[in-house]
Amino acid sequence: MGEDFFAYGFPIFGGERLDPRVLWGAFQTFRHYTSCLTREADKRPYTYFAGELSIPCPRGLSGGPVFRRDRHDVLLAIVTENHEEGTEISYSEELAIKDGQKNFTSTKNVILYGMSVVAAAIENWLVQEIPI
């Protein structure tokens, strides 16, 4: 935990693909993670040993490498998805009645973390499936 990382990819913002970018942050924790994404064949969620990233990962970064800041040749993880946590801090609700219609607005803060699959946890699969 706390180790710095760089993540490399081609993020997409507002529907527009950007030039290659490097994003950086720190691993917040490592844990077994159950994804909100499911397998096509049996609709079961993916589960893997994950490195939780201190940054949200923009669309287009998924599948990109996560590596050491000073060692670009050492793969630490592969970006997979974002994980969203709601929090009750600054929670507010509004109910307005206008012309007999009820309008309800709810706001809460959301914390967004990037997730990555730790390369060491899938090393055997990588060696077997990806030719060198």
Side-chain angles (χ1 to χ4, degrees):
M1 291 188 317
E3 181 177 1
D4 288 345
F5 68 80
F6 273 13
Y8 175 81
F10 296 84
I12 299 170
F13 293 104
E16 181 179 333
R17 180 176 219 118
L18 300 178
D19 292 330
R21 293 211 174 181
V22 174
L23 303 170
W24 68 92
F27 284 105
Q28 296 183 143
T29 191
F30 296 96
R31 61 188 169 109
H32 288 282
Y33 179 71
T34 301
S35 174
C36 63
L37 304 173
T38 58
R39 302 169 194 266
E40 184 67 31
D42 58 13
K43 304 300 182 205
R44 290 184 321 166
Y46 289 101
T47 58
Y48 52 91
F49 188 68
E52 186 180 272
L53 309 176
S54 63
I55 60 168
C57 296
R59 198 173 61 147
L61 195 62
S62 297
V66 178
F67 49 90
R68 286 193 168 100
R69 181 179 206 142
D70 60 342
R71 290 286 312 269
H72 302 164
D73 60 329
V74 177
L75 179 69
L76 299 174
I78 300 167
V79 176
T80 54
E81 62 187 289
N82 281 312
H83 176 72
E84 187 176 291
E85 289 285 336
T87 175
E88 296 301 318
I89 298 171
S90 301
Y91 185 81
S92 66
E93 294 180 0
E94 294 178 25
L95 176 63
I97 300 174
K98 183 177 179 181
D99 299 328
Q101 296 286 333
K102 291 182 182 181
N103 296 313
F104 180 76
T105 304
S106 176
T107 311
K108 65 180 177 180
N109 287 346
V110 173
I111 300 169
L112 197 59
Y113 304 128
M115 300 303 289
S116 64
V117 61
V118 174
I122 60 168
E123 182 177 6
N124 291 338
W125 179 84
L126 288 171
V127 170
Q128 182 180 13
E129 298 294 326
I130 300 175
I132 295 177

